């Protein structure tokens, strides 16, 4: 069985303990991943600290070129890494699956390598001139989840190193292998110590985020862990970018042409078997359109093949782990017990953490499947009578990552969009993120943004030089 390793100071390290990582589609062991100790965290942070000054003193152009080399390595190894993602995380090779995740990794690396953040004259008159400079913060702790393990790690590490920081990344304990392999490959084109990893569960995450030598925390994961990280950061006062869970509402405006939107609506909800932060997790449909929307989604869902993602014909894979599998089953069972209509599609394999694609109708606000983030392939469809009622429903939860409005008229949709409380409101699309467009949550979905120029700013320390003329 293959053992995978952390990268620290540009070298593969040995760990005292390991855990078996199994393919969620087959149960077959993929390999052994390291489990680190708190001492290993100290060593990785020290490696990042020692590398940081030299890295920060390289020119902007050198760092842009280094990040461009990283993009090239990702591109060259995307087939290998996509295979590992599928076997470890479960999303299929095909469709919006692991190859798509690798394309995103390349794109989200190329864009920051092309962006510039020059000093800005923020004020000038005949007596003074004030220039805002942006310096690296230092050592960044990056903590990633298991749903899009490589793409989200790239979102965290690339802007950080682009701006002269060094990084210690901890992948999720559920999906460490593909990430460790990606870091092994890309650190070959970076100076030693610029990008390091530690592995393990929340204990190691807590040791990293509370470490006194951490200057910035990039966290993507659940709200409950986010709250613990905010508390832990009182140790180092590191600023945090917090990308937390979502419970995105989609509102279909009355009379919207269903056939034009059904495919995007489906993938907006079922991308990665629903295990996506900004998936549609609650669908609000006008009572007059309810039957036609349910029929269109049903017709689409029954044609989507579910199974082991290494088979090119499958478009939906398993849930990633038993905890998530049980959670989604529990929410569906709760809806069924409360008299909701549970409609299931797809033949699912007997082994693995598979669930059928599930539409849940005759359901209302207040049911657990509506109010809690399901993070799985079960979509509640809620009838509304007036747009004000739908907007009120969409805004009533504390989760506020994304939302969407689906309509024939863009003008009417924009009016509704302006009333929705979420970090991004999409119109006639959902989850359509872009490396140039800032992305982040409102309310309990976190704070700070990633991507584009704003994402680069988030990993810098602003400093003003103020000159008397
Ligand atoms: P999680 O919070 O359980 O784990 C995320 C990471 O935090 C893991 O690496 C874990 O080991 C680590 N961790 C756990 N306890 C810790 C602690 N005390 N200190 C430091 N680190 C700790 O989340 P998950 O189950 O891996 O991911 C799913 C959640 O992530 C969902 O809620 C989803 O919506 C959210 N998510 C949000 C975004 C976004 O951009 N907003 C993107 C993807 C996923």
């Amino acid at each position: 069985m293959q053992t995978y390793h952390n990268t620290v100071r540009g070298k593969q390290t040995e760990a005292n303990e390991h855990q078996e990582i199994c393919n969620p589609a087959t149960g077959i062991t993929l390999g052994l991943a390291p489990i680190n100790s708190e001492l290993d965290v100290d060593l990785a942070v020290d490696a990042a600290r020692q590398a940081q000054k030299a890295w920060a003193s390289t020119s902007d152009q050198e760092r842009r070129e280094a990040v461009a080399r990283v993009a090239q390595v990702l591109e060259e190894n995307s087939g290998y890494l996509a295979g590992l993602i599928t076997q470890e995380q479960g999303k299929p090779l095909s469709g919006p699956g692991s190859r798509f995740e690798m394309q995103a990794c390349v794109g989200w690396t190329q864009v920051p390598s092309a962006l510039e953040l020059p000093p800005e004259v923020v004020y000038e008159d005949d007596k003074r001139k004030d220039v805002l400079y942006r310096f690296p913060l230092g050592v960044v702790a990056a903590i990633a989840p298991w749903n899009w393990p490589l793409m989200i790690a790239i979102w965290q590490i690339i802007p950080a190193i682009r701006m002269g920081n060094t990084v210690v990344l901890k992948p999720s304990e559920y999906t460490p292998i593909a990430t460790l392999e990606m870091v092994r490959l890309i650190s070959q084109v970076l100076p030693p110590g610029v990008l390091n990893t530690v592995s393990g569960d929340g204990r190691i995450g807590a040791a990293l985020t509370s470490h006194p030598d951490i200057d910035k925390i990039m966290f993507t994961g659940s709200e409950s862990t986010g709250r613990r990280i905010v508390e832990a950061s009182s140790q180092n006062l590191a600023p945090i970018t917090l990308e937390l869970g979502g419970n995105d509402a989609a509102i279909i405006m009355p009379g919207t042409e269903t056939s034009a939107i059904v495919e995007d609506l489906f993938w907006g909800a079922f991308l990665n078997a629903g295990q996506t932060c900004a998936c549609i997790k609650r669908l609000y449909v006008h009572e007059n359109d309810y039957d036609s929307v349910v029929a269109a989604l049903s017709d689409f869902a029954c044609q989507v093949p579910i199974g082991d993602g290494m088979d090119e014909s499958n478009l939906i894979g398993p849930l990633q782990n038993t905890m998530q599998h049980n959670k989604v089953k529990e929410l569906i069972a709760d809806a069924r017990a409360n008299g909701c209509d549970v409609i299931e599609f797809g033949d699912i394999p007997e082994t693995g953490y598979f669930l059928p694609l599930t539409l849940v109708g005759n359901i209302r606000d207040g049911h657990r499947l509506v109010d809690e983030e399901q993070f799985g392939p079960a979509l509640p469809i809620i009838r509304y009578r007036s747009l004000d009622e739908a907007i009120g429903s969409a805004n009533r939860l504390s989760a506020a990552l994304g939302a969407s409005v689906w309509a024939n008229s863009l003008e009417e949709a924009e009016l509704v969009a302006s009333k929705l409380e979420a970090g991004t409101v999409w119109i006639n699309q959902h989850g359509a993120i872009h490396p140039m467009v800032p992305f982040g949550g409102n309310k309990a979905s976190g704070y700070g943004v990633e991507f584009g120029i704003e994402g680069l700013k988030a990993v810098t320390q602003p400093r003003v030089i103020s000159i008397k003329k």
Side-chain angles (χ1 to χ4, degrees):
M1 189 185 309
Q2 188 163 349
T3 302
Y4 295 87
H5 301 277
N6 284 299
T7 301
V8 177
R9 235 180 271 277
K11 295 209 168 64
Q12 298 281 280
T13 60
E14 297 298 333
N16 292 333
E17 273 186 78
H18 294 88
Q19 61 160 334
E20 271 187 38
I21 299 296
C22 296
N23 182 330
T26 61
I28 294 169
T29 304
L30 180 61
L32 288 177
I35 300 182
N36 283 135
S37 65
E38 280 86 348
L39 178 64
D40 296 322
V41 174
D42 289 343
L43 294 174
V45 174
D46 185 55
R49 172 62 59 202
Q50 285 191 26
Q52 200 269 326
K53 283 222 154 48
W55 180 241
S57 67
T58 56
S59 71
D60 205 53
Q61 182 59 24
E62 282 172 289
R63 289 201 299 273
R64 286 178 63 174
E65 286 168 10
V67 172
R69 284 197 301 275
V70 169
Q72 208 178 332
V73 173
L74 288 169
E75 211 159 13
E76 286 161 7
N77 292 279
S78 61
Y80 168 64
L81 292 171
L84 280 182
I85 294 172
T86 294
Q87 292 170 78
E88 183 178 47
Q89 198 279 329
K91 66 172 67 74
L93 290 169
S94 308
S98 58
R99 291 194 188 112
F100 169 82
E101 180 164 356
M102 285 312 302
Q103 279 167 14
C105 288
V106 173
W108 261 269
T109 304
Q110 284 169 336
V111 167
S113 95
L115 289 178
E116 285 184 68
L117 196 50
E120 193 186 336
V121 178
V122 287
Y123 184 75
E124 185 164 19
D125 62 20
D126 51 353
K127 295 196 187 73
R128 61 184 291 158
K129 180 176 173 183
D130 299 85
V131 187
L132 176 66
Y133 291 83
R134 296 201 167 259
F135 289 84
L137 281 154
V139 177
V140 174
I143 308 272
W146 48 259
N147 58 338
W148 293 89
L150 274 64
M151 180 178 79
I152 290 174
I154 286 289
W155 292 355
Q156 298 174 330
I157 62 189
I158 294 300
I161 61 178
R162 165 74 186 85
M163 296 315 294
N165 304 281
T166 53
V167 176
V168 180
L169 165 71
K170 190 196 85 61
S172 167
E173 62 274 31
Y174 291 107
T175 52
I177 286 178
T179 312
L180 294 182
E181 280 298 271
M182 175 178 78
V183 171
R184 177 180 68 79
L185 291 162
I186 63 182
S187 31
Q188 288 167 7
V189 294
L190 293 169
V194 167
L195 176 57
N196 311 274
T197 55
V198 289
S199 301
D201 60 12
R203 183 175 59 91
I204 295 305
L208 179 60
T209 48
S210 62
H211 197 286
D213 221 12
I214 290 297
D215 304 300
K216 164 86 191 182
I217 300 167
M218 304 284 290
F219 173 71
T220 302
S222 62
E223 182 188 334
S224 56
T225 307
R227 288 183 191 278
R228 283 199 285 279
I229 286 178
V230 173
E231 279 170 29
S233 74
S234 69
Q235 306 289 315
N236 46 33
L237 290 181
I240 314 177
T241 299
L242 267 189
E243 295 282 7
L244 306 181
N247 197 345
D248 293 11
I251 299 175
I252 306 182
M253 306 255 301
T256 303
E257 177 57 55
T258 313
S259 60
I261 62 170
V262 67
E263 184 171 356
D264 288 339
L265 208 52
F266 175 87
W267 287 113
F270 291 97
L271 177 68
N272 193 20
Q275 302 164 109
T276 300
C277 51
C279 256
I280 299 173
K281 292 173 182 155
R282 306 175 277 153
L283 178 60
Y284 291 90
V285 182
H286 190 265
E287 55 186 354
N288 294 346
D289 304 326
Y290 181 86
D291 290 341
S292 69
V293 169
V294 172
L297 278 172
S298 301
D299 287 349
F300 195 92
C302 67
Q303 292 172 38
V304 178
I306 306 173
D308 183 349
M310 293 304 281
D311 176 339
E312 298 274 349
S313 62
N314 288 322
L315 294 177
I316 293 278
L319 280 287
Q320 202 282 324
N321 56 63
T322 181
M323 175 265 300
Q324 195 58 32
H325 193 231
N326 288 336
K327 183 180 165 191
V328 182
K329 282 196 294 188
E330 187 184 312
L331 292 176
I332 295 170
D334 179 79
R336 194 178 263 126
N338 282 294
C340 305
D341 301 332
V342 176
I343 327 168
E344 296 176 340
F345 304 92
D347 294 327
I348 60 167
E350 276 170 22
T351 53
Y353 303 129
F354 289 95
L355 281 178
L357 297 165
T358 306
L359 301 177
V360 180
N362 192 22
I363 190 165
R364 289 184 306 281
D365 288 353
H367 281 115
R368 285 187 63 198
L369 183 63
V370 178
D371 286 13
E372 296 177 28
E373 182 188 30
Q374 67 276 53
F375 221 55
L379 177 67
I381 307 177
I382 305 123
R383 285 187 177 88
Y384 71 82
R385 271 164 301 197
S386 71
L387 273 175
D388 282 346
E389 178 194 335
I391 293 165
S393 286
N395 289 341
R396 65 181 261 282
L397 300 180
S398 59
L401 185 61
S404 58
V405 185
W406 303 73
N408 297 333
S409 150
L410 290 184
E411 244 172 52
E412 286 172 23
E414 278 178 49
L415 197 63
V416 174
S418 69
K419 295 178 183 169
L420 293 179
E421 296 163 5
T424 308
V425 184
W426 289 282
I427 294 178
N428 289 338
Q429 54 183 0
H430 197 105
I433 53 173
H434 187 281
M436 279 302 291
V437 181
F439 174 68
N442 286 185
K443 301 200 285 189
S445 289
Y447 45 73
V449 290
E450 296 183 289
F451 313 165
I453 291 288
E454 294 302 317
L456 293 186
K457 288 180 182 171
V459 283
T460 62
Q461 177 67 63
R463 275 181 206 152
V464 172
I465 295 187
S466 183
I467 306 155
K468 183 176 179 183
K469 284 185 174 170

